[in-house]
Amino acid sequence: MGLLDAYTKPLTADQVAHLLRRATFGPTADQVKLLIGQTAAQLMTKLLADQPVPPPPLNLATGKPFHDQPFETTNAGKFTAYLTYWWANLMLNQPISLLEKMTLFWSNHFVTNFSTVNDYRFMYRYNALLRQYALGNFKSFAVAMTQDPAMLRFLNGNQNIVGRANENYARELMELFTIGRNGGYTETDVREAARVLTGWTDVSYRSATTTPIGSTFRLNQHDKTDKTFSATYQNTVIKGRSTVTAGLDELNDLINMLLSHAETPRYICRQLYRWFINSDITPTVETDFIQPLAEVFRKANFEIKPVLTALFQSQHFYDEAIRGGMIKSPTELVIGTFRFWGVQAPDPAQNITPFYQIGNYIFARITEQQQQILNPPTVFGWTAYYQTGYYQQWINSTTLGLRGFFGDALTTNALKLNGKVVIDSVAYARTLSNPADAGVLVANITSQLLGVPLDKSQLDFLTDTVLLNSIPRYEWTGEWNDYIQSPNDAAKKQAVQMKLTAFLQYIFRMAEYQVI
């Protein structure tokens, strides 16, 4: 049985939860119940369904979009913040869809950041481009990204002119965006690619008077001579052009050349594997998963959906051994936690202030945990996705405590967002199958909140020591039933609520809660 062979059995609750934790920012309990018994193929149809283009972010003061207006220096920081809050809320409010998780993936692949670009309109356009192509065609994506004004600014493509070629983007196009470091390209290849890309520049950067923003090709600053590449690219010659379409024609030739190399589809598939399955690519995984997946990619003419379909329907993805093998990123931790507890951002057109309050809280938490969206620290992306140890980089002496404080805020500090408590532990317990039985209660909660199963000794410890603080289990049954019989009795409610709150606080600090 091959690792990439399709898993065709109906999915259990644990398997549905596993799929949604990896493919989205996490499920609600109701979503898992709704999807039990469906096959991976059926769920992939839902996850890959087309989604409407989201309305753009709004100015809190006016309730109107700002991305299509002249640049406002005095409001630049504020509008950049609104943009990040808006995206955080798109992740929070996502339907059962891969779109926002893939948009985040591509923001770590085709990297720019607002610290360098420094124009919120460019960054909105860049984010919209990521979303537009996130589940589309990679070849078209690479062509469009090369012309993107934020990318032209970030990697100096706007300074790349004939006679003084800037190699920055050409190098990253090979090293990080297509063939990868092990692709065998040469310094000559980088120089020749830079010559191909001469002449592009951004339009209306930080302009207080002109719109729209975008990019343009300047023929008079383009190198019109032929460009010759190494044996890595089969000594390809990209014909120099001198017409108004020269820039796009040569760009298409360059992307076609890069994608024709056998290493490019393998490199992209390895990136997807590390993002969705595991950082450890063993020789077996490389041979029996990455290489056949890359062949799916190539045969599909670099359409992204067939690759994701094969990945998430594979036997390998549903191997129980890979569960818990990934440390949650800050977005997965914070947004996934909020999604489980039913937090949703309101419609900004109707309730813009609370919309931004929720987005601001999410953005603050994931930023302090070192994943500031729209602002990866380097062209390599966030540290946890390229340094030795991979996901382990999300946990350090600073972020471990902040993760714990986040969980504490949800429980002991009774965090309220827009006046509403995030977690009502008693109301949640009432949704479970048999909350009067402490052992069943703990088993239910841990199966919903944790991505890995616990053994009997762990469950017993959580029941008898953490939840009950060493009182007999029958006393919990009595306390719970007393509360159910008199739900308006504050003392009886508090008796169960204090235990549940302490229990959830402990769960949020467990190592098992930090992984998926």
Side-chain angles (χ1 to χ4, degrees):
M1 183 184 299
L3 296 182
L4 200 61
D5 289 350
Y7 186 87
T8 58
K9 297 178 182 178
L11 300 184
T12 65
D14 287 344
Q15 289 172 325
V16 170
H18 169 63
L19 173 59
L20 295 184
R21 287 188 183 107
R22 296 289 181 96
T24 75
F25 291 100
T28 67
D30 288 342
Q31 285 176 336
V32 173
K33 292 175 185 176
L34 178 67
L35 299 174
I36 291 172
Q38 295 194 30
T39 64
Q42 289 172 315
L43 291 190
M44 286 310 299
T45 298
K46 292 181 173 66
L47 286 164
L48 294 174
D50 292 339
Q51 300 295 327
V53 176
L58 304 177
N59 182 350
L60 178 60
T62 66
K64 295 180 180 179
F66 52 83
H67 72 287
D68 56 355
Q69 301 299 308
F71 187 82
E72 296 184 32
T73 302
T74 56
N75 285 320
K78 185 185 298 183
F79 289 162
T80 299
Y82 292 163
L83 176 58
T84 58
Y85 305 163
W86 168 81
W87 190 20
N89 282 339
L90 289 182
M91 298 184 216
L92 178 66
N93 287 2
Q94 65 172 7
I96 298 174
S97 171
L98 261 160
L99 182 58
E100 292 305 324
K101 194 71 169 284
M102 283 298 293
T103 300
L104 187 66
F105 166 81
W106 291 119
S107 79
N108 188 71
H109 182 83
F110 288 118
V111 175
T112 70
N113 64 39
F114 61 67
S115 294
T116 302
V117 175
N118 205 20
D119 186 325
Y120 54 84
R121 304 168 309 159
F122 278 32
M123 292 306 294
Y124 169 78
R125 177 183 170 124
Y126 160 76
N127 184 259
L129 185 68
L130 296 177
R131 189 170 292 100
Q132 177 185 349
Y133 286 100
L135 300 173
N137 183 271
F138 182 77
K139 185 184 297 185
S140 300
F141 197 178
V143 170
M145 187 56 69
T146 303
Q147 303 168 73
D148 179 70
M151 184 62 77
L152 287 167
R153 279 273 157 183
F154 183 69
L155 290 177
N156 311 112
N158 60 331
Q159 301 172 17
N160 188 16
I161 62 176
V162 60
R164 287 183 295 154
N166 187 300
E167 298 175 5
N168 201 5
Y169 180 76
R171 185 177 306 279
E172 307 307 356
L173 178 62
M174 293 186 192
E175 179 179 338
L176 299 178
F177 300 166
T178 56
I179 192 173
R181 290 181 174 181
N182 298 322
Y185 62 87
T186 68
E187 287 300 307
T188 297
D189 293 326
V190 172
R191 289 193 293 271
E192 295 299 277
R195 292 175 57 222
V196 168
L197 298 171
T198 50
W200 290 99
T201 193
D202 53 279
V203 174
S204 296
Y205 177 68
R206 291 178 66 89
S207 172
T209 58
T210 59
T211 55
I213 62 170
S215 60
T216 190
F217 175 71
R218 307 156 296 179
L219 181 60
N220 65 333
Q221 296 187 356
H222 177 64
D223 189 327
K224 303 177 183 65
T225 61
D226 292 351
K227 293 84 179 175
T228 303
F229 293 83
S230 72
T232 297
Y233 299 113
Q234 301 178 328
N235 304 114
T236 294
V237 176
I238 292 182
K239 185 71 177 174
R241 273 91 154 184
S242 56
T243 66
V244 292
T245 63
L248 189 56
D249 292 341
E250 292 189 39
L251 171 57
N252 275 301
D253 285 351
L254 176 63
I255 298 301
N256 284 333
M257 181 191 78
L258 295 175
L259 268 59
S260 69
H261 193 287
E263 185 60 19
T264 297
R266 292 197 289 261
Y267 174 73
I268 300 301
C269 288
R270 288 188 202 107
Q271 299 293 87
L272 290 166
Y273 183 89
R274 291 190 175 104
W275 186 268
F276 287 114
I277 299 183
N278 201 290
S279 64
D280 185 16
I281 298 180
T282 65
T284 298
V285 168
E286 176 68 27
T287 300
D288 295 345
F289 194 90
I290 300 298
Q291 293 190 22
L293 189 64
E295 188 64 11
V296 170
F297 199 19
R298 187 188 65 79
K299 287 183 177 179
N301 193 31
F302 293 92
E303 291 291 333
I304 297 164
K305 283 185 178 182
V307 176
L308 295 173
T309 297
L311 185 152
F312 286 112
Q313 288 182 201
S314 67
Q315 295 275 350
H316 182 52
F317 181 78
Y318 294 98
D319 184 343
E320 292 186 9
I322 72 168
R323 293 189 201 172
M326 294 170 59
I327 294 173
K328 292 175 182 175
S329 70
T331 53
E332 289 166 333
L333 177 69
V334 175
I335 295 174
T337 299
F338 278 0
R339 283 178 55 78
F340 181 85
W341 296 103
V343 176
Q344 291 278 278
D347 181 353
Q350 303 297 322
N351 297 287
I352 190 168
T353 297
F355 176 83
Y356 280 138
Q357 286 175 348
I358 289 178
N360 180 21
Y361 186 85
I362 293 172
F363 181 71
R365 299 291 77 73
I366 62 180
T367 295
E368 69 188 12
Q369 293 175 32
Q370 302 178 2
Q371 192 179 22
Q372 188 175 48
I373 55 175
L374 283 179
N375 205 35
T378 72
V379 69
F380 296 100
W382 288 292
T383 305
Y385 294 129
Y386 67 86
Q387 286 284 30
T388 301
Y390 213 65
Y391 319 111
Q392 296 174 29
Q393 299 292 324
W394 290 128
I395 302 289
N396 57 51
S397 58
T398 298
T399 61
L400 181 60
L402 290 169
R403 284 173 174 245
F405 292 151
F406 168 66
D408 291 348
L410 297 180
T411 52
T412 58
N413 297 335
L415 171 68
K416 293 183 179 179
L417 293 176
N418 301 320
K420 182 181 179 181
V421 174
V422 173
I423 295 178
D424 184 335
S425 58
V426 176
Y428 167 61
R430 295 186 68 157
T431 69
L432 302 175
S433 64
N434 185 11
D437 184 316
V440 173
L441 174 73
V442 168
N444 286 169
I445 293 175
T446 55
S447 68
Q448 290 187 2
L449 288 177
L450 305 181
V452 291
L454 302 181
D455 61 31
K456 185 177 184 302
S457 64
Q458 290 174 300
L459 291 171
D460 286 343
F461 173 79
L462 288 173
T463 303
D464 299 318
T465 303
V466 178
L467 175 67
L468 302 183
N469 196 23
S470 300
I471 67 171
R473 294 190 183 191
Y474 66 79
E475 288 196 18
W476 166 264
T477 302
E479 288 182 344
W480 180 263
N481 289 334
D482 286 345
Y483 156 69
I484 291 298
Q485 291 169 10
S486 304
N488 297 321
D489 187 313
K492 291 179 179 179
K493 181 177 182 180
Q494 187 179 33
V496 295
Q497 189 169 38
M498 289 179 63
K499 292 181 176 64
L500 287 169
T501 296
F503 176 74
L504 288 174
Q505 182 186 9
Y506 188 93
I507 291 290
F508 289 145
R509 283 181 171 267
M510 287 179 65
E512 288 84 353
Y513 191 71
Q514 310 304 317
V515 300
I516 53 176

